[in-house]
Amino acid sequence: MEEVEWTRRPKPEELRVGLISWAGSYLTFEAYKNTVTATAKGLGRRQTWEILVSNEHDTQAVVRLRGLQGLYLLCEADGSLCYGRPRTSHHGCFLLRFHRNGKWTLQCIISGRYLESDGEDVFCNSRVLSAYHMWTPRPALHVHVILYSPVNHCYARADPTVGRVWVDAPVPCLEECGFLLHFQDGCYHLETSTHFFLSHVDRLVPQPSAQTAFHMQVRPGGLVALSDGEGGMLYPQGTRLLLGLGSNPHRGEEWFVLQRCPTWVSLRSKTRKFLSIVYDVEVCAASEHITPMSLFQFECDDDSPTLQLRAANGCYLAQRHHRTVVANGHPMEPDTFFRVHWNCGKIILQSPNGRFLGIIDNGLLMANATIPGPNEEFGIRLANRPFLVLRGRYGYVGTSSEHDLMKCNMDQPDCIHLLPCRQGIYHFQAQGGSFWSITSFGTFRPWGKFALNFCIELHGSNLLTVLAPNGFYIRSDRSGTLLADSEEITKECIWEF
């Protein structure tokens, strides 16, 4: 399949990073003072910056830094920094230089002074470059990622049977294409979906260590390169494109596009058969087993109730003549957008003509019904997610040695292993093999003995809600405690996964 079918290089303004000072603290917008500091020890919303590029060339770029609140990092004439809107065309512009050690420096275009920190305050005073001006970029995207090689037009794929990682997957529909990107002590550890780690000796190992730690170079546009810090770069090698360390990459082979792990699902009719693509484009409920042709990429705008389903042939499901639904649609076609309705973990799809998708007697998918019934309800299951990593408004869901309750403000997440119970319903299993349990206060502990039912509904390409066993939605709380006490879906009930 052609590259454009499955990936695109992100626009420069889409890259969001945290910037870590020499002291290990993050560049932070202080809302109550309208100032900028470097005191925070974790990456949150106020430590996240969009890098807006106006001109990029090789080892440097002219950029602006914009916070998630929509205001910019501005350097004033006296060297102080504030947070607001640019007053002139060059106000707030910095010359961003990429250094070989993966660090960034930011030099004010107007004054020529470098952005620096004393460990707490941030300012632009010196024109002489030093270690105090070095900032480490940390990608702020969700830790569950895929790695795409623009040179080889394929995705990285872990192979647990031989303990290797290959860059040979043309379509990222397999769970083996997903990796967890752990950040620790300035380095990155790449964990596979089976919880092994890529090491410097090109093999997967069961535990993180110094041999699994990689340095990362980051470029605006989502490009990253991983190295061992001693001259070795990680890139595909040999005829089978084994991902390993080497010292001689060609044509930019060491660069990968870092993207969020996409959501692939399977859909099952009331006859317990999976929707599949047959004869190239026809959609039919015919298979009792999941095949690559039974997988669909779930693409949904966060602000829209409509959904697009992309088949493994690279095309979208679309309603055609005589109400038939086939897999030959293109990205912007109106006929490829279906309205989503949820019913207890099952999904109902409404076509652009207002009719609901269902299975007719010969097994074909058609938009026939004016009122949805059991024939128009489809069981939906996450196909490439053996576990969830949930991020809310205040951080990741995880455990802390200081608390016995599940937290929602962690910098490092816990994996929630999914045990499918029935369509849309899952048991949540903690990393040690025990189950999630719920207290009478709507809080959670990770060491329950019995499996409980959790209902998952998707609300975006990488967004979901969870209905807990007590009948309330799980939400994040400002206190940092994970709670199931919301009757309605609020912003705090939406989880990025």
Side-chain angles (χ1 to χ4, degrees):
M1 299 195 183
E2 296 180 7
E3 173 190 357
V4 294
E5 290 183 347
W6 292 106
T7 191
R8 61 171 176 80
R9 179 171 174 173
K11 298 177 182 178
E13 63 264 30
E14 290 178 335
L15 176 63
R16 292 177 176 177
V17 299
L19 291 173
I20 308 171
S21 73
W22 61 272
S25 54
Y26 287 79
L27 187 69
T28 302
F29 162 57
E30 303 291 354
Y32 63 97
K33 295 179 181 177
N34 199 33
T35 59
V36 179
T37 65
T39 55
K41 297 300 182 182
L43 177 58
R45 291 180 62 82
R46 291 187 297 113
Q47 292 78 39
T48 299
W49 301 88
E50 292 183 55
I51 309 299
L52 306 180
V53 180
S54 58
N55 188 12
E56 182 179 359
H57 178 70
D58 199 16
T59 60
Q60 63 187 35
V62 176
V63 301
R64 278 194 168 105
L65 275 65
R66 183 171 66 188
L68 295 186
Q69 296 78 9
L71 300 178
Y72 294 80
L73 180 68
L74 304 175
C75 179
E76 303 297 3
D78 61 358
S80 65
L81 291 169
C82 65
Y83 194 67
R85 300 193 181 280
R87 295 188 295 272
T88 67
S89 60
H90 290 93
H91 193 208
C93 286
F94 294 86
L95 180 62
L96 168 61
R97 287 193 176 93
F98 313 113
H99 297 266
R100 293 180 63 86
N101 60 0
K103 308 287 187 184
W104 286 5
T105 54
L106 291 150
Q107 185 179 21
C108 176
I109 290 290
I110 296 175
S111 68
R113 297 186 174 98
Y114 288 96
L115 181 72
E116 65 177 296
S117 168
D118 60 6
E120 293 185 0
D121 295 322
V122 183
F123 40 83
C124 288
N125 281 346
S126 175
R127 292 188 176 92
V128 180
L129 188 62
S130 72
Y132 296 103
H133 303 128
M134 296 290 176
W135 297 85
T136 301
R138 177 185 174 184
L141 81 171
H142 191 281
V143 298
H144 202 174
V145 300
I146 55 175
L147 293 166
Y148 175 75
S149 170
V151 172
N152 296 290
H153 308 294
C154 283
Y155 295 84
R157 174 186 63 88
D159 186 348
T161 59
V162 296
R164 301 290 184 96
V165 175
W166 314 99
V167 186
D168 63 356
V171 181
C173 60
L174 303 174
E175 65 181 57
E176 291 84 3
C177 293
F179 296 86
L180 293 176
L181 193 64
H182 297 283
F183 181 76
Q184 185 176 5
D185 299 328
C187 292
Y188 293 85
H189 301 262
L190 207 58
E191 182 181 357
T192 71
S193 62
T194 53
H195 306 298
F196 284 81
F197 293 83
L198 184 63
S199 72
H200 294 179
V201 294
D202 308 341
R203 292 212 173 254
L204 298 178
V205 296
Q207 297 293 333
S209 67
Q211 284 297 300
T212 66
F214 292 90
H215 298 266
M216 180 182 286
Q217 295 184 39
V218 181
R219 295 287 187 271
L223 287 173
V224 300
L226 295 166
S227 69
D228 62 358
E230 299 177 355
M233 301 296 299
L234 203 61
Y235 60 94
Q237 301 176 44
T239 55
R240 293 196 59 191
L241 300 177
L242 170 69
L243 186 62
L245 284 173
S247 57
N248 192 29
H250 299 290
R251 299 179 295 116
E253 287 178 312
E254 72 276 23
W255 292 102
F256 291 86
V257 179
L258 188 68
Q259 297 175 324
R260 288 194 308 186
C261 186
T263 301
W264 287 77
V265 299
S266 62
L267 296 171
R268 207 172 189 180
S269 69
K270 74 169 186 177
T271 60
R272 304 185 63 81
K273 293 185 177 180
F274 292 99
L275 288 190
S276 303
I277 308 300
V278 296
Y279 305 117
D280 295 332
V281 297
E282 287 188 359
V283 186
C284 183
S287 176
E288 296 182 355
H289 304 283
I290 293 180
T291 69
M293 290 293 105
S294 308
L295 303 181
F296 300 91
Q297 187 172 344
F298 192 98
E299 298 184 13
C300 183
D301 189 342
D302 301 346
D303 301 319
S304 170
T306 58
L307 162 71
Q308 288 180 295
L309 291 171
R310 189 186 226 185
N313 65 1
C315 295
Y316 292 84
L317 297 196
Q319 183 199 326
R320 298 306 190 201
H321 301 297
H322 307 296
R323 302 175 187 168
T324 58
V325 177
V326 295
N328 65 357
H330 301 289
M332 299 309 295
E333 271 192 275
D335 291 340
T336 64
F337 290 87
F338 299 90
R339 191 174 181 87
V340 180
H341 305 271
W342 287 93
N343 183 23
C344 300
K346 292 186 177 181
I347 194 171
I348 300 169
L349 299 174
Q350 189 174 14
S351 69
N353 70 0
R355 293 181 179 267
F356 296 90
L357 272 60
I359 304 300
I360 61 175
D361 292 341
N362 62 4
L364 289 177
L365 183 65
M366 295 193 71
N368 262 346
T370 56
I371 299 175
N375 199 47
E376 285 70 45
E377 290 182 351
F378 294 93
I380 183 169
R381 182 168 292 177
L382 296 170
N384 67 329
R385 303 294 182 108
F387 56 81
L388 290 179
V389 172
L390 298 180
R391 180 165 71 171
R393 291 178 65 82
Y394 309 111
Y396 287 100
V397 172
T399 52
S400 167
S401 59
E402 301 172 359
H403 303 88
D404 65 343
L405 298 176
M406 297 294 296
K407 307 295 288 182
C408 61
N409 62 350
M410 306 297 292
D411 186 61
Q412 296 293 331
D414 284 1
C415 287
I416 306 166
H417 290 272
L418 297 177
L419 301 181
C421 176
R422 54 185 185 271
Q423 299 298 318
I425 308 297
Y426 296 85
H427 301 322
F428 281 10
Q429 190 174 38
Q431 289 179 269
S434 56
F435 295 97
W436 275 34
S437 64
I438 187 169
T439 71
S440 58
F441 301 103
T443 55
F444 296 92
R445 290 189 173 98
W447 52 70
K449 294 182 179 179
F450 305 102
L452 302 177
N453 292 342
F454 294 83
C455 179
I456 291 176
E457 293 183 357
L458 303 180
H459 289 266
S461 296
N462 287 85
L463 299 176
L464 58 76
T465 57
V466 181
L467 192 64
N470 65 356
F472 292 96
Y473 287 98
I474 296 178
R475 69 174 179 89
S476 56
D477 188 74
R478 192 178 294 274
S479 68
T481 300
L482 189 68
L483 292 170
D485 63 358
S486 182
E487 294 182 3
E488 303 293 332
I489 296 176
T490 66
K491 288 184 178 180
E492 292 184 331
C493 300
I494 301 294
W495 298 94
E496 186 182 2
F497 73 101

